[in-house]
Amino acid sequence: MSGTRARARLGGAGRLLLPGLITILLIAPSLLPGTLAFAIRRDFDLSVTTIGAAVSGYYLLSTVATRAAVPLARRYDPLTMTRACLLTSAICVPASALLGTTGALLAGCLIAGTTNGLATPSANMLIALNVPERHRGLAFGIRVSAVPGAAGLCALAAYVVATHDVAWPAAYLAYGLACLVGIGCTFLAPPTTLADTEDEAEGANGASRGGTLHILAAGGLLASIAGSATSPFLVDGLIAGGADPGAAALLFGLSAWIGVSARIIAGIVADRVPGAVLHLVAAAGLLVFGSVGMLILGFGRGTPMLAVGTVLTFALGWAWPGLLHHATLTVHRTQMARATAALQTGTYVGALIGPLGFGLIVEHLSFTWAWSGYATMLLASAAMLALASRRVRRAGERAVP
């Protein structure tokens, strides 16, 4: 009886929060090296290019594992896969810090990327299958807000390391403990499978939606190229623009939580104003504002101006993912596993390319060139989502007798 009550406690609120918690724990290892780089460099060399390679490797493995996870999630309870992934990260990521070498940190990122990819379809499908449709926008907003949420926690770790006499490996050990807590939380959730959610025979309409899915994945890829560089390099970028390390870490942390709020608010609005077309148009508009924020980061100097650029980039430029995921699953209701895998693959490939490219541009040119180039990526993504919204609108008009 007590077990039944414990599961019941998860209820509506727990089902909204659990996918976000899982995502925070699995994303954080990709952000820790960059945010703690100033402290890690006291022990061994960690270049900007190496940080970019670590994050890119993380997302490369996430991309491959996401595709492999779809048939596994159909066969096994997604929560079982999630627990296995969290346990693997809880052991391997802290171990990589304790070994204390560049190679070990890279290996930790690669392992974490694999566990993140294997758990991603399960996290999305927990929302699609367990959360009532009237709350799915909020649920996706919470899940995708886990990325800036993880950034905020990593920034907090960086602030503690920068302002107190705390060794940077302690942040990795704290991460391992958090993963164990996350595993405990999953036991409060009811088992869920992906069986019988796919309809492969969709005919002409399915082909049309498939074309739209490719455009959405391309838009997500371009936006992810730009957005994925923000967290790993923001602290170093702010310092290059004139902010001191403590102020840069604090600004990063505050702005990350602003990004969390923006994504959740976007999800709430999406539930109140339903419609895939409106969601895609809104996401395109947010990307335009994000590009403006990146230009300010590139050309602004001094903490006040950089603060404006950071808030714009995080609060508006980071609010689009939940809208995009919600719209995609709305349009592809009978192919949810395929749709979420395709869209997530696009964003992971973008996240793979983005940090490595950004690091190379900074190393060979400057932060100004890097922020400007990636602002252009956000504008291109906005154009792709606008095109997808037109296709969805036209498909809806043809469906009306």
Side-chain angles (χ1 to χ4, degrees):
M1 193 68 174
S2 60
T4 303
R5 289 198 195 96
R7 290 180 182 272
R9 287 193 198 103
L10 187 68
R15 293 185 184 191
L16 290 174
L17 296 174
L18 182 60
L21 173 63
I22 293 168
T23 306
I24 284 178
L25 293 172
L26 295 176
I27 285 286
S30 70
L31 306 176
L32 283 171
T35 52
L36 294 172
F38 66 91
I40 295 172
R41 288 176 185 139
R42 299 169 192 161
D43 294 338
F44 54 85
D45 181 56
L46 187 66
S47 69
V48 173
T49 301
T50 301
I51 295 171
V55 179
S56 294
Y58 171 94
Y59 282 107
L60 172 62
L61 271 297
S62 289
T63 301
V64 175
T66 295
R67 286 292 185 178
V70 173
L72 292 174
R74 289 197 189 109
R75 183 172 181 181
Y76 301 105
D77 176 8
L79 289 173
T80 300
M81 292 183 61
T82 298
R83 291 167 193 143
C85 291
L86 288 174
L87 181 60
T88 302
S89 289
I91 296 171
C92 295
V93 174
S96 72
L98 294 177
L99 290 174
T101 65
T102 302
L105 284 186
L106 287 172
C109 272
L110 295 179
I111 293 171
T114 303
T115 59
N116 177 62
L118 289 173
T120 291
S122 298
N124 283 337
M125 297 309 295
L126 283 172
I127 296 173
L129 298 179
N130 284 357
V131 177
E133 188 169 359
R134 67 184 181 278
H135 295 312
R136 280 183 197 159
L138 174 59
F140 276 111
I142 292 172
R143 196 191 82 75
V144 297
S145 73
V147 178
L153 292 175
C154 291
L156 175 61
Y159 181 75
V160 171
V161 170
T163 59
H164 297 74
D165 190 19
V166 176
W168 63 268
Y172 280 78
L173 294 176
Y175 167 79
L177 292 176
C179 284
L180 297 179
V181 172
I183 292 172
C185 291
T186 65
F187 283 97
L188 298 176
T192 304
T193 64
L194 303 185
D196 301 325
T197 61
E198 300 291 290
D199 181 4
E200 302 295 340
E202 290 195 284
N205 288 335
S208 174
R209 286 193 288 271
T212 302
L213 180 58
H214 294 152
I215 296 173
L216 292 171
L221 183 150
L222 292 173
S224 184
I225 288 176
S228 62
T230 307
S231 291
F233 295 106
L234 183 63
V235 172
D236 273 352
L238 291 173
I239 293 172
D244 66 82
L250 182 60
L251 181 59
F252 178 29
L254 292 174
S255 297
W257 290 111
I258 291 174
V260 170
S261 301
R263 291 184 174 198
I264 293 174
I265 291 171
I268 293 172
V269 173
D271 287 330
R272 299 296 183 271
V273 187
V277 172
L278 289 175
H279 296 168
L280 292 174
V281 170
L286 292 170
L287 288 168
V288 172
F289 280 106
S291 71
V292 174
M294 283 195 171
L295 289 174
I296 295 174
L297 288 174
F299 292 95
R301 290 295 178 267
T303 302
M305 182 63 70
L306 294 173
V308 172
T310 304
V311 170
L312 269 178
T313 302
F314 274 78
L316 297 178
W318 268 31
W320 58 270
L323 294 171
L324 180 57
H325 280 278
H326 192 14
T328 300
L329 291 184
T330 298
V331 174
H332 303 85
R333 291 177 183 274
T334 58
Q335 291 187 314
M336 288 188 291
R338 173 176 172 264
T340 191
L343 183 60
Q344 203 72 63
T345 297
T347 56
Y348 281 160
V349 170
L352 185 162
I353 298 171
L356 181 59
F358 195 96
L360 290 172
I361 294 172
V362 170
E363 202 148 282
H364 293 286
L365 295 171
S366 68
F367 272 102
T368 297
W369 278 98
W371 289 125
S372 300
Y374 278 46
T376 304
M377 289 285 185
L378 289 182
L379 290 176
S381 175
M384 296 295 290
L385 297 192
L387 174 61
S389 71
R390 291 182 62 187
R391 288 176 62 98
V392 172
R393 182 185 294 111
R394 289 175 181 173
E397 290 171 352
R398 288 196 299 268
V400 176

